[in-house]
Amino acid sequence: MRFWRIARSGQAVKFQYSADGVTWTTGRSLIARLSLDDISLLALAGGAGTAKFDNAFFAPANGVRLFGNPSGDLAQYVTVKVELGTGGSSSSCTGFTPETTIYDGPLNVFPSDYAHGLGEWFPSSGTQSKTYRFTATTVNTSAIQGKSATSTFTWEVQAGI
């Protein structure tokens, strides 16, 4: 029996093989970020066989995206700025460091589905988080009197096609 493995340490990727599954020989190594789009795992057997994948982590083919479902007649008068960054907390923006602004526009045209979602980022293995800071302002006009708007925001990852 012959064993193959792809081992990763940081950005270094080693393609290794072994006759016994204990002693490994590196056939090639490189510096790369691999995703499901870059590699495929295929097991072929002349008869009945089993392919075993240990300690495997596959990053999603698509990233985390933000979208919403704004409604109400006030939404056209509300400007929303969404920044993606790190730091801060659910109760305070103190310590927030913006990396990029992913949206700055009217609430009524905020993307409403995954296909048009904002701020795609690709978590790697382990636990990762990003902070989103929302700033909402209204247009200063008497036209907003008595109007209301709501929106639920969703962060989602979908499998690749």
Side-chain angles (χ1 to χ4, degrees):
M1 181 180 292
R2 188 156 191 177
F3 299 87
W4 294 276
R5 75 178 180 185
I6 302 170
R8 179 177 171 181
S9 177
Q11 293 297 316
V13 179
K14 295 179 181 179
F15 297 85
Q16 301 176 318
Y17 60 92
S18 170
D20 59 8
V22 176
T23 304
W24 293 93
T25 301
T26 299
R28 179 178 166 115
S29 70
L30 53 98
I31 303 298
R33 178 182 170 109
L34 298 175
S35 72
L36 283 178
D37 293 333
D38 300 314
I39 63 171
S40 296
L41 299 175
L42 176 65
L44 298 173
T50 300
K52 181 179 177 185
F53 302 100
D54 291 327
N55 197 22
F57 171 81
F58 297 99
N62 295 313
V64 176
R65 295 182 190 175
L66 167 67
F67 56 94
N69 66 342
S71 64
D73 50 4
L74 180 64
Q76 65 184 319
Y77 298 103
V78 176
T79 298
V80 177
K81 180 178 181 180
V82 182
E83 297 167 285
L84 176 62
T86 58
S89 68
S90 61
S91 61
S92 172
C93 288
T94 302
F96 176 77
T97 303
E99 294 173 356
T100 187
T101 298
I102 61 172
Y103 185 79
D104 194 356
L107 178 61
N108 65 319
V109 295
F110 196 88
S112 60
D113 58 26
Y114 183 84
H116 299 96
L118 303 169
E120 187 169 61
W121 63 279
F122 297 87
S124 59
S125 62
T127 302
Q128 288 187 310
S129 65
K130 293 282 186 180
T131 304
Y132 292 76
R133 178 168 61 183
F134 289 72
T135 306
T137 56
T138 57
V139 175
N140 187 10
T141 176
S142 61
I144 65 174
Q145 297 285 329
K147 297 185 183 330
S148 64
T150 61
S151 186
T152 299
F153 296 99
T154 302
W155 288 263
E156 185 175 324
V157 172
Q158 292 186 0
I161 299 173

